[in-house]
Amino acid sequence: MKSESRTGPVARSAAELTEVIAAERSGNPFLLWRDEQRRLRIMLLKPDRWRVTVGRASESDIALAWDSEVSRTHALLERVGREWTLVDDGLSRNGSFVNGSRVLSRHRLADLDRLCFGATEMSYRAASRGDSVQTLPAIESLAQITLSPMQRRVLIALCRPVHDSASATPATNRQIATEVFLSVDAVKAHLRVMFERFGLSDLPQNEKRARLVASVLVSGVLSPRDF
């Protein structure tokens, strides 16, 4: 596995998390990676798709033209029944990797596997299934969460920058405090409660705010007229 990758541990913005949540809600497995300009890319692996080619050639389904460590014909992702596999039969010069281990022939993919082609890293997300354990509450149930008037005001202030511009980041605690006339400590207390109610308490600290905004904007907890 390369030490420098095109995805790596890059924090996702609220707008990007909104895209990821939409992909999760589709019920299809999907791939995520960042292109040469660090933009998040998502490919849904829909039921009518059986294979995905990966390579530097422009005709590849996932064309990594900018990555000189990727071969023109590098690897293949192929569906076998309900499962997706990564196939590398030696066509690539530098090999293909899953979770740091080189793939020799075929490897069955599992949810959250990290795939590496040259210097480009991807993540594989398996299709959601009814019998799987959900870490986060279903999006549909989030819309049923009741908020106090002040919690709603804090949430609106948090989400407002992202609602106004997809490239923006959630409001800071100080910005929220100024808008709703609370102390910063009071804002933090309200956010802690909402992280817990939205099932986000166990996420890394730097991801909670963006994930909360994305969940709120996708689920309809707030409507456009709130802004």
Side-chain angles (χ1 to χ4, degrees), residues 6-213:
R6 294 287 178 180
T7 54
V10 178
R12 295 180 187 140
S13 68
E16 290 173 340
L17 280 169
T18 300
E19 295 182 53
V20 174
I21 290 173
E24 292 171 348
R25 295 184 74 191
S26 75
N28 297 297
F30 59 96
L31 299 166
L32 306 96
W33 72 98
R34 291 191 184 275
D35 63 17
E36 72 274 26
Q37 296 179 347
R38 307 296 290 166
R39 295 172 300 194
L40 184 69
R41 299 294 188 183
I42 298 176
M43 174 182 281
L44 295 179
L45 302 174
K46 296 182 179 180
D48 60 351
R49 184 184 286 275
W50 287 88
R51 55 171 49 196
V52 175
T53 56
V54 180
R56 207 170 71 252
S58 59
E59 61 268 22
S60 300
D61 296 317
I62 298 179
L64 308 175
W66 66 87
D67 192 337
S68 61
E69 297 182 36
V70 171
S71 301
R72 285 185 57 79
T73 303
H74 195 100
L76 174 72
L77 284 91
E78 189 170 55
R79 184 154 64 93
V80 179
R82 297 178 64 182
E83 307 295 332
W84 278 87
T85 63
L86 172 61
V87 181
D88 189 324
D89 289 329
L91 291 176
S92 64
R93 183 177 71 250
N94 293 316
S96 304
F97 298 79
V98 174
N99 301 326
S101 298
R102 186 162 185 167
V103 172
L104 302 175
S105 186
R106 185 184 297 270
H107 180 93
R108 186 172 67 178
L109 298 178
D111 191 35
L112 299 177
D113 273 350
R114 293 175 293 108
L115 286 57
C116 191
F117 310 103
T120 302
E121 185 177 301
M122 298 182 187
S123 294
Y124 170 77
R125 295 301 312 272
S128 58
R129 295 176 182 169
D131 57 353
S132 63
V133 177
Q134 297 295 321
T135 303
L136 301 178
I139 292 295
E140 289 76 9
S141 68
L142 295 182
Q144 308 303 316
I145 292 178
T146 57
L147 301 170
S148 70
M150 183 52 72
Q151 288 170 341
R152 180 172 290 274
R153 290 176 62 194
V154 169
L155 201 54
I156 291 170
L158 175 72
C159 298
R160 190 186 307 282
V162 179
H163 176 268
D164 293 342
S165 172
S167 61
T169 58
T172 65
N173 291 337
R174 188 164 297 281
Q175 289 171 330
I176 297 170
T178 299
E179 179 172 335
V180 302
F181 303 105
L182 287 177
S183 68
V184 170
D185 285 341
V187 169
K188 290 179 179 178
H190 280 297
L191 288 175
R192 280 196 296 271
V193 170
M194 285 190 280
F195 290 150
E196 182 175 351
R197 296 188 68 187
F198 281 78
L200 305 174
S201 297
D202 294 335
L203 292 180
Q205 191 63 36
N206 63 351
E207 186 180 338
K208 288 179 182 179
R209 299 168 73 88
R211 185 80 190 203
L212 177 58
V213 171

